Amino acid sequence: MSSEPAVLVALDLSGTFAFGLNGALTAVRATRLDVVGVVVLGMITALGGGIIRDILIDALPPATLLDWRYYTLAIAGGLIAFAISKHLRKLERAITVLDAIGLSTFAVIGASTALNAGLGVAPAILLGAITAVGGGTLRDTLIGRIPSVLRTGLYAVPALIGAAVTVTAVETGVYGPPAAFGAALTCFLVRMIGLRFSLNAPEPPETRKNKDSGDTDM
């Protein structure tokens, strides 16, 4: 990650902290854990996606474990989440925004890292999305709930869009801090619009039929 311009590294570090804080707050909201559990789940959320990406592109050891800033920010996010957990009800909106920030920044950095590793367009977009949703998926699995990427509307879709915009910028030779911010902003806005208007990705017809009829026994 050190090969990225300083502004993009700052973007990546911001996403790491946002996901560390968000992941820990989400864990506290979903289940009662001690400080160790909260911090560990915050770190998994913040670092998991990047580690999965680096394993898949054979960039070992993973970059987030070689740079102290990443795991330090992840730990700091977890500790802050533990300290303010008693105010969870007041932080619902903040948790959502932090999640969207982390999703956006990781989609961009994940896609650009994949291209730098020599992957093609489609694999780079896919790996950008995996970087964005991987940590949260691991966290949700560990706390015993269906991962957000599989159950909430427009979660993976914004990540794929952000990654696609990033790849397009790289392939057309215009990638840099402004393009990276633009790709991240696009992902962020799609995610927030989806939440604001309760938009969902298409579901199987039978699922919609059961929802319409009020049948929840699946």
Side-chain angles (χ1 to χ4, degrees):
M1 292 184 185
S2 59
S3 62
E4 294 278 7
V7 175
L8 299 185
V9 173
L11 187 68
D12 199 18
L13 291 170
S14 299
T16 299
F17 177 74
F19 254 178
L21 183 56
N22 166 261
L25 285 171
T26 301
V28 171
R29 181 173 56 180
T31 185
R32 298 187 64 84
L33 299 171
D34 62 16
V35 62
V36 175
V38 171
V39 171
V40 167
L41 285 175
M43 291 182 68
I44 288 173
T45 308
L47 306 179
I51 290 174
I52 293 172
R53 176 200 64 219
D54 289 348
I55 290 173
L56 291 175
I57 63 176
D58 199 26
L60 300 174
T64 52
L65 299 182
L66 294 175
D67 190 331
W68 64 270
R69 294 174 296 178
Y70 289 93
Y71 51 81
T72 299
L73 284 171
I75 292 172
L79 289 173
I80 292 173
F82 183 80
I84 64 176
S85 59
K86 64 180 180 180
H87 303 295
L88 269 180
R89 291 192 177 184
K90 300 178 181 179
L91 297 171
E92 291 291 337
R93 185 178 297 274
I95 293 173
T96 299
V97 172
L98 286 170
D99 184 67
I101 291 172
L103 185 79
S104 304
T105 56
F106 279 21
V108 172
I109 298 298
S112 64
T113 301
L115 288 174
N116 288 337
L119 270 65
V121 169
I125 293 174
L126 179 60
L127 206 55
I130 289 174
T131 305
V133 306
T137 299
L138 291 174
R139 176 205 62 214
D140 290 345
T141 301
L142 287 173
I143 62 177
R145 72 178 191 181
I146 299 174
S148 299
V149 67
L150 300 179
R151 63 183 172 82
T152 60
L154 298 190
Y155 194 77
V157 171
L160 288 168
I161 291 174
V165 173
T166 302
V167 170
T168 300
V170 173
E171 292 297 304
T172 56
V174 298
Y175 184 69
F181 276 117
L185 181 61
T186 300
C187 177
F188 179 84
L189 290 176
V190 172
R191 173 61 176 156
M192 297 307 292
I193 289 172
L195 289 170
R196 174 64 179 82
F197 295 101
S198 299
L199 302 178
N200 293 289
E203 297 178 345
E206 188 63 26
T207 301
R208 293 197 301 269
K209 178 181 177 181
N210 288 332
K211 282 185 177 180
D212 293 339
S213 65
D215 183 7
T216 58
D217 295 326
M218 295 293 292

